[in-house]
Amino acid sequence: MSKEILINVEHPQISVAIVNNSILEEFYVERQDAKNIVGNIYKGKVSEIVSSLNAAFVDIGLEKKGFLYLEEAVDFDFDIENKSYSKIPLNKGDEILVQVTKEPFGNKGARLSTHITLPGRYLVLMPTDHRIGISRRIEDENERKRLKQIMGELNLPSDLGFIVRTAAYGKNKKQLLMDAYFLIKLWSKIKRTLRYRQAPSLIYEDYNIILRVIRDSFTEDVDKVVVDSRIAYRYVYKFVKTFLRHLIKRIELYRGDDLFWEKGIDKQIQKLFESKVYLKSGAYIVIEPTEGLVVIDVNSGRFKKKLSLEEAAFRINLEATQEIARQLRLRDLGGIIVIDFIDMEDEQHRQKVFNALKEALRADRAHYDILGISRFGLVEMTRERIHRTVESIMYEDCPYCEGKGKVRSPITTAIYAIKGLKQYIKNHPFLRKVELIVHPLVLEALLQNKDMLNTLEHRFHTRIEMISDSSLHLEEIRFV
């Protein structure tokens, strides 16, 4: 198997694809006009307290105020002398140190927290928490004990907390110590910046998409990182030389014309925006995101193996679990997710499908919570949404259907054309001729109901001339 990280830089967009054996597993996009702000730290000013929401709106210098739950607010001394942190009552006008935990979405501003976290390669520093924790994804008890023992031997500042990340599995004391020193130095720099910045202002900007992926995903199982920009290549090389020197030979500068096309993933990227995803067996899943939740439906499609209904449903559902987990990561779908598997009567089959889904989700770095599978084949889960989805960055609502995803049929538009024609003639009572300009398909539908037009001509003593214009949108109607 071959695992690669592909980085494509085409101003003003940076695209990063993680490909495993030629199959796209993760895809990220960042643009200059839609830069990621998750992880950024701001010195903000409380602009409003909303008691009914038990929350505060905080001005951090962006177009929309950030949203902070009051129960999450902890005290932070801007003189950096007080080493203790505690929950505080916030008042309008207070200055507060906050970090963005979720991107602005729709009409909502960024979600904020006062629990600052600074992720490194192997550790996460927590200035407001004094505990040492181990990632829950490290399940080996012996490894957890080994890492906890190492952290106890590092002689780290007692007023800072750390979480050992999954990437620390198998790493030695020196590697963890270097990461800890880097984070402590970074936190000291942030504290110095705080002293002279006025609220609202940016105190610390997190890495861009390239370095975030390198930091979080460039592990020993990645065969190479391919970058198609000399500037970005030097950028990555310098970072890896500093933090991941043993992997530096795996970085390559691409000298061809189109990295994604040559690697055969352009088509896979385009399929991210389709609602239907086909499986190898001929079955398919349908993904329908709404504002409140995401619905995923599993269908038998062209599945043709001669099996009983129960066995066929089981096989299709089992196959679908892998693709569902992959699509959740690729599309970065979040919120409430309902998965409708094909009905299975056998309780053992239902449990096996549920276990397979949980196993497939283990590769997902986002936090999620999943309930059991019901008798009707429904699985309910929640998945953390932090960043804007790739679709929301690369697409916008259709100006014609206004986000419905559908347009009027030619017959429906023809009916609206006749209604509009009546009103137009009434508002212009002395017209002797009216030109009705529509799309060719709408004209065809109108000609099938020519008696209606003849009645209008007779009633209003007006000649109606119909004109076909293929440049018009299907729903567009013009009167002259």
Side-chain angles (χ1 to χ4, degrees):
M1 290 184 69
S2 174
K3 189 171 182 179
E4 298 176 333
I5 296 175
L6 311 177
I7 300 172
N8 167 238
V9 180
E10 287 189 39
H11 187 77
Q13 177 173 292
I14 299 172
S15 305
V16 182
I18 300 178
V19 181
N20 198 343
N21 217 23
S22 299
I23 296 175
L24 185 64
E25 287 197 335
E26 296 178 47
F27 182 62
Y28 306 98
V29 170
E30 188 169 277
R31 287 182 176 167
Q32 282 296 113
D33 62 346
K35 288 187 71 174
N36 168 72
I37 63 169
V38 171
N40 288 3
I41 299 173
Y42 296 85
K43 189 174 186 178
K45 181 175 285 189
V46 178
S47 59
E48 186 181 357
I49 303 290
V50 184
S51 301
S52 59
L53 296 176
N54 194 31
F57 287 98
V58 182
D59 183 4
I60 56 175
L62 301 181
E63 182 182 352
K64 296 175 183 174
K65 303 291 191 296
F67 183 85
L68 171 69
Y69 280 114
L70 295 178
E71 62 186 22
E72 295 180 2
V74 297
D75 187 16
F76 184 87
D77 186 349
F78 289 116
D79 292 328
I80 321 298
E81 298 300 329
N82 182 8
K83 299 294 185 180
S84 63
Y85 303 90
S86 58
K87 290 185 179 181
I88 55 167
L90 285 182
N91 298 296
K92 186 175 179 178
D94 284 352
E95 293 186 353
I96 188 168
L97 188 72
V98 291
Q99 185 171 37
V100 176
T101 59
K102 284 187 182 180
E103 291 271 12
F105 185 76
N107 295 320
K108 299 176 181 177
R111 173 77 180 275
L112 307 175
S113 175
T114 57
H115 295 276
I116 308 299
T117 59
L118 294 174
R121 174 66 174 173
Y122 306 119
L123 304 173
V124 177
L125 184 147
M126 302 178 295
T128 58
D129 196 331
H130 305 162
R131 294 173 297 172
I132 302 293
I134 311 293
S135 168
R136 286 180 295 178
R137 298 192 181 214
I138 299 177
E139 297 181 345
D140 186 320
E141 281 302 321
N142 291 330
E143 179 64 9
R144 293 179 68 86
K145 288 178 182 177
R146 185 187 74 86
L147 291 170
K148 196 144 193 175
Q149 182 179 342
I150 289 176
M151 292 300 292
E153 295 170 355
L154 294 184
N155 195 28
L156 300 172
S158 59
D159 59 316
L160 297 176
F162 289 87
I163 293 177
V164 180
R165 304 186 72 183
T166 310
Y169 192 102
K171 297 300 179 287
N172 58 41
K173 183 176 181 178
K174 183 180 178 181
Q175 289 170 305
L176 298 185
L177 184 61
M178 286 180 62
D179 207 39
Y181 280 169
F182 167 76
L183 292 173
I184 293 169
K185 189 176 179 181
L186 176 60
W187 176 237
S188 296
K189 182 180 178 182
I190 290 171
K191 289 191 294 183
R192 289 195 300 271
T193 305
L194 265 175
R195 290 193 177 99
Y196 62 83
R197 289 283 177 87
Q198 298 295 316
S201 62
L202 175 66
I203 301 299
Y204 165 76
E205 186 172 15
D206 197 13
Y207 292 142
N208 69 8
I209 186 64
I210 294 176
L211 294 191
R212 286 203 311 274
V213 171
I214 296 297
R215 179 191 67 195
D216 298 337
S217 301
F218 190 19
T219 51
E220 280 74 7
D221 65 334
V222 175
D223 296 286
K224 57 185 173 180
V225 174
V226 186
V227 190
D228 68 359
S229 158
R230 287 185 180 276
I231 294 174
Y233 171 79
R234 289 194 289 267
Y235 190 48
V236 170
Y237 190 92
K238 184 179 178 181
F239 182 85
V240 173
K241 187 178 180 181
T242 303
F243 299 104
L244 303 164
R245 183 180 288 270
H246 63 294
L247 298 176
I248 202 163
K249 291 183 178 179
R250 301 188 190 185
I251 306 170
E252 293 183 8
L253 174 63
Y254 176 74
R255 302 176 188 276
D257 296 322
D258 192 325
L259 175 60
F260 283 3
W261 180 84
E262 186 176 305
K263 292 291 184 177
I265 64 167
D266 260 342
K267 289 183 178 178
Q268 294 184 59
I269 292 170
Q270 290 304 315
K271 287 181 179 179
L272 291 181
F273 312 112
E274 297 176 3
S275 59
K276 284 187 179 180
V277 180
Y278 286 91
L279 308 177
K280 289 181 180 179
S281 65
Y284 65 90
I285 61 176
V286 180
I287 303 172
E288 293 289 353
T290 68
E291 190 169 339
L293 57 84
V294 177
V295 178
I296 301 176
D297 188 28
V298 182
N299 292 278
S300 57
R302 298 189 300 272
F303 185 86
K304 293 181 179 178
K305 290 185 180 179
K306 293 183 178 179
L307 301 170
S308 66
L309 290 175
E310 174 68 20
E311 189 64 26
F314 173 61
R315 295 279 186 89
I316 294 169
N317 289 338
L318 210 56
E319 182 185 15
T321 58
Q322 303 299 315
E323 190 60 37
I324 289 169
R326 173 173 170 262
Q327 291 296 327
L328 290 178
R329 295 196 307 273
L330 273 174
R331 302 179 188 223
D332 197 17
L333 298 172
I336 299 171
I337 299 167
V338 177
I339 306 169
D340 185 7
F341 286 104
I342 300 173
D343 290 351
M344 296 172 291
E345 296 293 332
D346 192 320
E347 174 60 31
Q348 287 188 337
H349 283 170
R350 289 198 293 269
Q351 193 58 46
K352 285 180 180 178
V353 167
F354 179 70
N355 291 341
L357 178 62
K358 283 206 302 183
E359 184 61 30
L361 288 168
R362 285 169 64 88
D364 198 337
R365 282 194 296 272
H367 296 294
Y368 61 86
D369 190 18
I370 183 168
L371 302 180
I373 187 167
S374 75
R375 187 165 59 88
F376 302 108
L378 293 176
V379 170
E380 297 173 59
M381 64 176 289
T382 60
R383 184 177 182 273
E384 180 184 33
R385 176 166 49 207
I386 296 175
H387 305 287
R388 288 179 60 189
T389 63
V390 173
E391 185 176 32
S392 71
I393 296 173
M394 299 182 70
Y395 282 73
E396 59 184 28
D397 283 348
C398 170
Y400 300 110
C401 71
E402 297 178 340
K404 297 191 296 290
K406 298 180 185 297
V407 294
R408 294 173 185 157
S409 67
I411 293 175
T412 303
T413 305
I415 293 169
Y416 274 90
I418 292 170
K419 288 183 176 182
L421 190 59
K422 288 180 185 178
Q423 292 302 319
Y424 185 81
I425 295 172
K426 283 182 179 180
N427 293 334
H428 302 80
F430 301 110
L431 286 177
R432 293 304 174 191
K433 186 183 81 167
V434 179
E435 291 181 357
L436 171 59
I437 309 171
V438 292
H439 188 277
L441 292 176
V442 178
L443 178 62
E444 188 179 320
L446 282 166
L447 290 173
Q448 293 174 4
N449 295 275
K450 202 167 182 182
D451 290 346
M452 179 77 71
L453 294 171
N454 292 336
T455 301
L456 284 178
E457 286 182 323
H458 180 73
R459 176 181 171 187
F460 293 104
H461 306 288
T462 302
R463 185 163 64 87
I464 300 171
E465 183 178 339
M466 291 183 290
I467 299 173
S468 169
D469 186 345
S470 59
S471 68
L472 294 185
H473 182 264
L474 186 64
E475 293 185 357
E476 194 171 355
I477 303 164
R478 291 182 186 172
F479 305 109
V480 180

